Amino acid sequence: MMSQQPTVKRSANSPRVLIVDDEPLARDTLEALLYRESYELLFATSGIDALQRMSALAPDVILLDVMMPQMTGFELCQQLKKSSKFRHIPIILVTALDGPKELVRGLNAGADEFVSKPVNGHTLRARIRSMLRIKAQYDELERILRLRELLSNMIVHDMRNPLAVILIYIQLLKRKISSAADQDRYLELIHTEARQLNTFLDDILMLATTGKDDLALERIGVDMTKFGLELEHNYRAMADLKDVRFELIQATDSPPLIYLDIHLFQHALDNLIINALKTAAVSSKITLWIEYLRQSSKQNELPMLRINVIDEGVSIPPEDRERIFDKDEIVNLRQSDRSQAGLGLAFCRMVIEAHGGRIFVTDNAPQGSVFTLEI
């Protein structure tokens, strides 16, 4: 076997073009035609050499000579197209055989394109660009399908947990051996988990069908003092069941009416609080802090609402604090064991931005996170 021609290195993101030819002069010719392009050029000196090193080379396009000893280009092409691992890599046959029989044989072998010898540089570069576009489209489709599969698995997993809790406590109630206090507790837990599951399903439907620019907000004036007390009432019992303290802090000054789509806004805030409860440690504290700021304008002063949901659970690394609200990053974060990541946070961002506000997360030293929304 001839010695391998050295790789022509480019940047890490350069498309990788594999040149397979047993003739050194032919490899040099193709290299000269492509050297100025932003490709990483790889070389194999035979079909067998290319086949053995294919996983390590990981090319985006293959330039394949037809007439080679031991394994012809047609044979290598057939081998690669039979492989589920490599069949998606575009193959351009480089051949001096331009008769119809050779063309048909190449197509039957699975070739995607042809370049005739002597090779024209303009034609070669155009063929490669075309194949790289196809490869990029294939890779993007694969990424989307893989993401969809992982997202589906995540959704099933997140739905299974509350369903399992609901079923367990229904079985306990059926046994009728518990005290009235225990039965009330079981019913409260069932209600909590059912509410969480319903919120989760609403998030999925909303994210799948709308964006922040498509949300039709029905704003009404909301008394935030009353709203805060209702949240405290709703979640204090849930927190008690989890042995977590729930504390409400409201600004002492009389708040102005805040004009919100109360249904969507409460749904978003429910997500933040449930998320905090889900990750809260026993005997830890969750604080709901509502305050009002004023923004000066030329005409008047505009009220601004700021709500902090403060927990003592898991801190979020700085590099993930933006990604955690991005629905396209949720699967990757969950695979990295970021328990806070979920569709609920993506839904929160969509709702808050539709209101013209923003949502972000900071650190709650020494442990935990502060989720802040401002409108």
Side-chain angles (χ1 to χ4, degrees), residues 314-332:
V314 181
S315 298
I316 299 172
E319 63 270 18
D320 293 337
R321 291 176 188 171
E322 179 67 22
R323 297 171 64 207
I324 204 166
F325 298 102
D326 186 343
K327 65 181 179 181
D328 295 327
E329 292 283 351
I330 289 169
V331 171
N332 294 329

Side-chain angles (χ1 to χ4, degrees), residues 194-349:
R195 180 179 174 183
Q196 180 179 340
L197 183 58
N198 185 66
T199 297
F200 179 67
L201 292 173
D202 284 346
D203 292 347
I204 294 172
L205 292 173
M206 190 75 73
L207 286 169
T209 58
T210 59
K212 68 180 179 66
D213 295 330
D214 303 318
L215 284 178
L217 301 182
E218 297 181 6
R219 295 178 186 257
I220 61 172
V222 178
D223 181 337
M224 293 305 300
T225 299
K226 182 180 178 182
F227 178 76
L229 291 171
E230 288 175 352
L231 284 173
E232 181 186 28
H233 173 75
N234 291 340
Y235 286 103
R236 189 178 293 281
M238 190 186 304
D240 289 343
L241 288 171
K242 293 180 173 288
D243 197 14
V244 174
R245 289 178 294 150
F246 188 88
E247 181 179 357
L248 171 67
I249 300 175
Q250 295 220 62
T252 56
D253 57 326
S254 178
L257 288 179
I258 305 293
Y259 286 85
L260 307 167
D261 184 311
I262 189 60
H263 173 72
L264 289 175
F265 185 78
Q266 179 160 352
H267 191 170
L269 206 52
D270 284 343
N271 271 313
L272 292 180
I273 299 173
I274 289 173
N275 196 52
L277 284 167
K278 185 172 62 176
T279 59
V282 173
S283 300
S284 66
K285 182 174 71 172
I286 294 172
T287 303
L288 179 65
W289 182 11
I290 303 176
E291 58 181 325
Y292 314 98
L293 307 176
R294 288 190 177 274
Q295 295 177 315
S296 296
S297 71
K298 292 182 179 179
Q299 290 80 21
N300 51 25
E301 288 188 331
L302 303 174
M304 186 175 81
L305 168 70
R306 177 186 291 158
I307 298 181
N308 296 306
V309 178
I310 307 168
D311 65 62
E312 298 174 354
V314 181
S315 298
I316 299 172
E319 63 270 18
D320 293 337
R321 291 176 188 171
E322 179 67 22
R323 297 171 64 207
I324 204 166
F325 298 102
D326 186 343
K327 65 181 179 181
D328 295 327
E329 292 283 351
I330 289 169
V331 171
N332 294 329
L333 287 167
R334 285 291 285 272
Q335 288 181 315
S336 302
D337 199 28
R338 296 286 181 268
S339 58
Q340 303 98 324
L343 292 172
L345 292 178
F347 173 83
C348 288
R349 166 176 277 182

Side-chain angles (χ1 to χ4, degrees), residues 27-42:
R27 296 197 300 271
D28 290 343
T29 300
L30 292 174
E31 179 183 351
L33 293 172
L34 298 175
Y35 188 80
R36 293 184 180 276
E37 301 297 309
S38 58
Y39 304 143
E40 181 176 351
L41 301 180
L42 313 167

